[in-house]
Amino acid sequence: MNYTCPHCNRDTTITDSDRIVDYVNLRIESGGLAKQFEIQYIVCPNVNCNKYTLTASLYDATLEHYGYYAPTGEALFMWNLVPSANIKVFPDYIPQPIIADYNEACLIKELSPKASATLARRCLQGMIRNFWSINKKSLYEEINAIQDKVDQLTWEAIDAVRSIGNIGAHMQKDINCMIDVHPGEAQLLIDLIETLLKEWYVNRHEREQKMQAIIELSKQKSALKAGQTE
């Protein structure tokens, strides 16, 4: 399985020697649906990391042949036990308030997806203001101001974060109208934030380093050339 270690942020491939999955079947004879509790233990194969992750998931289960229980449908609940959330590590040259909002959006995702979506919205606004130096009356206006600076698909995804984040940030006019946000949906917003952090901040920093290395190399060669002609 493809895997990105939350500790070292390296993409890798996990084999059976790096991963253990175990199950606990939960069933009471007097009735009720059976549940299956899945525990997954992964050790990062990167020798410079070797840290582990521990996750747990709860499923509805049905009794199959020979007393074997099989999970049905998607997970009812998922828990990141170690580390406590699937938070990627980003360089410290990214402004700390942006990273703080991103981290909190990850931590609160399972407990309150609406709050996570709101934090993703707030994180996005901070990124637009900092990276693009745009500061307007509303996030709506700020997103419109970068429409010509990013590709159309990215812009539509950014506007979607604003729209979904509004569900948690603002009460509906009809308070009886409940629009929910699920953990998987909140994760999609977090995924976009991670993509933008890399494409905007990390890529820019790496490009600046490469350009600066070329400039420094040119200076060194010019100095050597000047020394030879003296």
Side-chain angles (χ1 to χ4, degrees):
M1 58 177 282
N2 294 327
Y3 176 75
T4 301
C5 176
H7 299 287
C8 67
N9 208 24
R10 294 287 185 88
D11 294 328
T12 187
T13 301
I14 296 298
T15 65
D16 289 342
S17 62
D18 308 310
R19 174 176 177 257
I20 295 174
V21 180
D22 206 350
Y23 304 91
V24 177
N25 296 318
L26 308 172
R27 183 174 180 274
I28 297 177
E29 294 297 331
S30 60
L33 291 175
K35 307 292 183 188
Q36 188 172 78
F37 192 69
E38 178 190 281
I39 302 170
Q40 181 172 241
Y41 175 73
I42 296 176
V43 176
C44 179
N46 177 11
V47 294
N48 295 320
C49 177
N50 269 160
K51 293 182 179 179
Y52 71 92
T53 60
L54 187 64
T55 60
S57 304
L58 183 68
Y59 296 86
D60 281 329
T62 56
L63 180 61
E64 302 287 341
H65 299 294
Y66 307 111
Y68 172 77
Y69 283 87
T72 58
E74 296 183 355
L76 302 174
F77 299 96
M78 297 181 66
W79 297 272
N80 290 299
L81 303 177
V82 180
S84 57
N86 188 13
I87 300 175
K88 295 188 184 306
V89 178
F90 286 97
D92 56 10
Y93 53 75
I94 299 176
Q96 185 55 37
I98 291 174
I99 295 300
D101 283 343
Y102 160 72
N103 289 346
E104 193 171 347
C106 295
L107 286 169
I108 201 70
K109 181 191 68 176
E110 298 294 335
L111 183 62
S112 178
K114 281 184 182 178
S116 178
T118 303
L119 284 161
R121 177 188 184 278
R122 173 186 163 102
C123 184
L124 175 64
Q125 186 166 31
M127 293 167 66
I128 292 174
R129 290 180 174 181
N130 175 261
F131 187 85
W132 297 106
S133 299
I134 291 173
N135 197 326
K136 295 186 177 295
K137 293 181 179 179
S138 68
L139 178 57
Y140 175 79
E141 293 180 9
E142 291 166 347
I143 290 174
N144 285 339
I146 66 167
Q147 189 168 8
D148 62 344
K149 303 180 185 299
V150 299
D151 64 88
Q152 184 63 23
L153 188 61
T154 298
W155 183 84
E156 290 178 7
I158 288 172
D159 193 50
V161 173
R162 175 196 62 81
S163 178
I164 298 171
N166 283 346
I167 294 173
H170 305 295
M171 178 71 72
Q172 302 297 313
K173 290 182 179 179
D174 181 359
I175 62 172
N176 294 312
C177 178
M178 299 292 291
I179 302 177
D180 210 354
V181 178
H182 300 288
E185 296 167 339
Q187 182 60 51
L188 289 174
L189 308 189
I190 291 171
D191 290 343
L192 177 62
I193 296 299
E194 292 172 347
T195 298
L196 295 179
L197 286 170
K198 185 176 187 304
E199 291 183 352
W200 291 359
Y201 289 94
V202 177
N203 288 356
R204 179 181 67 178
H205 181 78
E206 291 178 350
R207 181 181 183 277
E208 289 174 349
Q209 285 190 317
K210 289 177 182 178
M211 298 304 106
Q212 191 60 44
I214 294 172
I215 293 170
E216 291 299 322
L217 177 62
S218 176
K219 290 180 180 179
Q220 293 172 12
K221 296 299 182 183
S222 296
L224 288 172
K225 182 178 180 181
Q228 291 174 354
T229 56
E230 289 179 355

